[in-house]
Amino acid sequence: MWILIWKSVLIFTFVAYSIMFLVVAIGGIGDIKKFFEDLKSPSEE
Amino acid sequence: MDLFSTNFGTIDWVIVCVYMCIPLSIGLYLRKYITSSGDFIVAGRNLRLFLAVATLTGTEMGLVTIMYSSEAGFIHGFSAFHIGVIEGVAVLAIGLTGFIIYKLRESRVMTIPEYYEKRYNQKVRVVGGIVLALGGILNMGLFLQAGARFMMGVTGVSNPAMLKIFMSIMLIMVLIYTVAGGMVSLAINDFVQFVILSLGLLIGSIFVFKEIGWTTLFTIPVNAPNAFTFNPVSKESGFGTLYVLFMVMVSVSAGALWQTATMRALAAKSPKVAKNLYACASLSFLMRKVIPMLWGIGAFIFITTKFPQLYEQFQAGGYSSQYGMPIFISKIIPSGLLGIIAAGMFAAFMSTHDSYLLSWSSVITQDIISPLRGGLADKSRLRINRVTIVVIGIFLLIWGLWFEAPISLWNYMAVTGSIYLSGAFTVIVAGLYWKKASSTGAMIALVCGLFAISGLGPWTTKGVIYLSDKFIGVSTFVICALGMVIGSLMFPDKKAAEEVK
């Protein structure tokens, strides 16, 4: 039983994390742009 | 085959060295965005969901995480997976329910002890800050050592003197960009490190599967010790039911209240983003344990079955089991790619160190020095924060050079983490959800957490007096909860909880 559980955990981890990685990496680039817009740069002070 | 023979070549050194310049440049460039301690500590509370997930993953998936997880896999086989599963489920539950983190983010505090003052009083904040800083700094005490061991294993450098040199160089790199850029620098660096490290782990795993094979991976080697097994609640695994219970307590409390992770929730754009952040990042918490454990299991099978003479060298040399995984990957991953993976691991090292340094320095500045001095000007806070980061760094170097844990690296992390978590979890949960929670009860609970330090004592190794680290860990959580309840009922606060709010 334990072997089956750990096999499922391993497969789930790889599939789910790969998808999350792609989504976060792409979405993160957009967030970085907005992050700098939100931060006050010294020139704006 | 020599134990320390490696595929790591000149091209890999070049890749690692070039990569090392990236965070430094980012840190120095972003220095101009730091105009207040709020920018330095919580980046002006501007983190949106994806960036927050990336930075949380970058922080919590450190090289030390990879080292202790792979060590657990190397020693305990697949039974170690339960630690990752419990952690992933605990963080998911926190994300879905908003347990603790939603209300904490709503309260707009910058550090956890700051909440202590809002809910209880300033004394609780200072004592809580001291306990947090003590537990937190001890917790990261072996980060440098583990990181340097990884670099030695991968690069094939076996001279023990090099450990000190690796540790010093790695520390200086992190200090420079953390002192310069604070949370703004951290967020961007962590994003870069999230990408590189994730790719490194996913690609590296393909080589592990290719080398060991899916069927062999799930076959226990004939010469494996009893601890290398599948069932985590069996006695032979070295874990057992009590240990699993300890992991549940550590995972729930650390998931919600480990300062470095909670800082991301506090820096999130809104309480809702903080909640979603945890739900999404639960996958990272699962992955950060499962994939390195897989590598550790692969390392053990590779060394014991394919090259048993290496296992003999391993045992004869008395090498720490932490060397298993780095030695393994340095032999199966080709040069070039090995450099990228080493850079990814180095990224993991830096992304964790920077956040931890920032967290503990913030706590010392905001929650210990500032209240004791009756408040500080913003510029002074910023300066003290930066000085504290350097002081902690020096302590880590000394501690890492001289201290060798009597227990496994992961258990060292769990025990030192419990010093703070056992008390903090009780104090915050009671503060948020129990109107009768009083400042005296909170003080007792926080101080009781110090009992967890005994989990590092010589009695944790079998002898005349024997107390297991897991027993001490579980007991500490129970004692803290009892201290909070009894203290609050016997010494209630004059003001009602609602009035304090």
Side-chain angles (χ1 to χ4, degrees):
Chain A
M1 182 191 73
W2 285 107
I3 295 179
L4 190 64
I5 292 172
W6 300 139
K7 276 183 181 174
S8 313
V9 167
L10 202 52
I11 293 167
F12 171 77
T13 305
F14 274 100
V15 174
Y17 189 76
S18 301
I19 296 168
M20 194 198 96
F21 166 68
L22 288 174
V23 172
V24 172
I26 295 165
I29 294 167
D31 279 2
I32 288 175
K33 285 180 192 163
K34 291 173 193 160
F35 179 67
F36 282 109
E37 284 165 14
D38 291 342
L39 278 173
K40 243 188 196 175
S41 73
S43 55
E44 288 164 350
E45 276 190 313
Chain B
M1 186 188 272
D2 177 38
L3 191 63
F4 278 90
S5 68
T6 176
N7 295 337
F8 202 88
T10 315
I11 182 74
D12 302 297
W13 279 112
V14 172
I15 292 169
V16 171
C17 292
V18 168
Y19 178 77
M20 282 158 81
C21 299
I22 296 173
L24 282 181
S25 316
I26 292 175
L28 294 172
Y29 173 73
L30 295 178
R31 189 181 159 86
K32 66 181 181 181
Y33 286 95
I34 305 298
T35 54
S36 70
S37 60
D39 291 338
F40 192 76
I41 297 171
V42 289
R45 291 198 174 88
N46 282 319
L47 292 188
R48 285 179 169 81
L49 182 62
F50 294 124
L51 187 54
V53 171
T55 65
L56 181 61
T57 308
T59 299
E60 295 307 315
M61 195 166 60
L63 181 49
V64 71
T65 319
I66 291 165
M67 287 296 279
Y68 69 62
S69 299
S70 64
E71 186 189 28
F74 191 85
I75 297 171
H76 301 283
F78 277 95
S79 63
F81 266 31
H82 80 277
I83 302 170
V85 173
I86 290 173
E87 199 171 89
V89 172
V91 175
L92 179 64
I94 291 165
L96 294 177
T97 59
F99 180 56
I100 298 178
I101 47 132
Y102 193 92
K103 286 194 172 191
L104 266 187
R105 175 60 187 83
E106 258 185 343
S107 70
R108 299 190 63 82
V109 294
M110 281 201 276
T111 63
I112 289 167
E114 198 181 329
Y115 172 78
Y116 296 160
E117 185 172 353
K118 272 195 163 186
R119 174 63 180 83
Y120 302 102
N121 59 36
Q122 201 183 63
K123 279 182 190 169
V124 178
R125 178 182 185 170
V126 174
V127 171
I130 292 169
V131 174
L132 171 53
L134 175 72
I137 294 168
L138 276 179
N139 185 263
M140 69 182 297
L142 296 184
F143 283 18
L144 261 181
Q145 193 190 72
R149 278 179 174 162
F150 173 83
M151 292 309 284
M152 285 177 70
V154 166
T155 56
V157 177
S158 56
N159 182 354
M162 285 302 287
L163 187 76
K164 295 172 188 172
I165 295 170
F166 271 119
M167 282 170 66
S168 307
I169 294 172
M170 291 164 94
L171 179 68
I172 291 167
M173 299 288 298
V174 180
L175 284 179
I176 293 174
Y177 85 81
T178 311
V179 168
M183 180 60 106
V184 176
S185 155
L186 244 77
I188 305 306
N189 270 314
D190 282 359
F191 180 77
V192 174
Q193 287 154 11
F194 160 78
V195 173
I196 292 174
L197 183 60
S198 298
L199 281 175
L201 283 173
L202 292 170
I203 295 169
S205 299
I206 296 171
F207 282 88
V208 174
F209 285 126
K210 200 177 146 201
E211 183 64 38
I212 306 295
W214 182 254
T215 314
T216 315
L217 197 61
F218 290 91
T219 312
I220 295 176
V222 187
N223 49 351
N226 288 342
F228 195 88
T229 183
F230 291 100
N231 181 359
V233 288
S234 72
K235 222 179 177 183
E236 303 81 55
S237 68
F239 295 123
T241 316
L242 187 65
Y243 188 89
V244 173
L245 179 66
F246 181 40
M247 285 306 104
V248 172
M249 289 173 163
V250 169
S251 298
V252 173
S253 55
L257 287 175
W258 193 239
Q259 174 73 16
T260 50
T262 313
M263 269 179 87
R264 296 301 185 283
L266 300 178
K269 193 87 183 157
S270 69
K272 199 181 167 195
V273 170
K275 200 168 161 267
N276 292 340
L277 159 67
Y278 270 67
C280 292
S282 60
L283 269 176
S284 306
F285 279 83
L286 173 71
M287 183 283 287
R288 75 178 189 147
K289 295 278 166 66
V290 166
I291 294 184
M293 280 170 184
L294 169 77
W295 289 21
I297 294 164
F300 184 83
I301 295 172
F302 177 83
I303 291 174
T304 51
T305 58
K306 298 204 169 184
F307 296 96
Q309 74 277 19
L310 282 182
Y311 194 49
E312 286 164 21
Q313 286 179 44
F314 210 88
Q315 290 177 314
Y319 292 109
S320 161
S321 43
Q322 289 168 36
Y323 281 112
M325 181 274 287
I327 285 173
F328 168 57
I329 63 163
S330 74
K331 293 183 195 319
I332 64 161
I333 295 175
S335 183
L337 190 57
L338 191 57
I340 295 172
I341 288 181
M345 297 298 167
F346 196 72
F349 170 84
M350 291 197 285
S351 62
T352 306
H353 248 85
D354 55 17
S355 286
Y356 275 65
L357 286 168
L358 185 65
S359 284
W360 311 137
S361 71
S362 308
V363 167
I364 291 171
T365 310
Q366 298 278 116
D367 304 310
I368 303 173
I369 298 175
S370 178
L372 288 176
R373 290 179 60 176
L376 286 170
D378 204 53
K379 282 203 167 169
S380 302
R381 280 175 200 252
L382 202 53
R383 196 179 58 246
I384 293 172
N385 243 317
R386 286 174 163 150
V387 172
T388 316
I389 288 173
V390 176
V391 173
I392 297 172
I394 294 167
F395 167 79
L396 293 178
L397 190 60
I398 297 167
W399 183 261
L401 286 175
W402 295 103
F403 183 76
E404 192 68 46
I407 48 182
S408 76
L409 186 57
W410 164 241
N411 286 357
Y412 172 86
M413 305 289 294
V415 164
T416 49
S418 300
I419 295 170
Y420 151 73
L421 287 171
S422 50
F425 185 67
T426 311
V427 171
I428 300 243
V429 170
L432 290 171
Y433 302 102
W434 189 39
K435 287 177 184 172
K436 288 184 180 173
S438 77
S439 48
T440 309
M443 286 288 242
I444 294 171
L446 287 170
V447 174
C448 284
L450 294 174
F451 177 64
I453 295 177
S454 58
L456 297 177
W459 43 82
T460 51
T461 47
K462 297 204 168 162
V464 183
I465 304 169
Y466 174 60
L467 281 175
S468 71
D469 48 343
K470 54 195 169 191
F471 173 76
I472 293 169
V474 171
S475 307
T476 310
F477 275 89
V478 175
I479 293 168
C480 290
L482 285 174
M484 181 82 212
V485 173
I486 295 168
S488 297
L489 293 177
M490 288 181 71
F491 306 98
D493 281 340
K494 284 175 187 168
K495 288 180 185 176
E498 293 94 330
E499 285 172 13
V500 177
K501 268 185 189 174

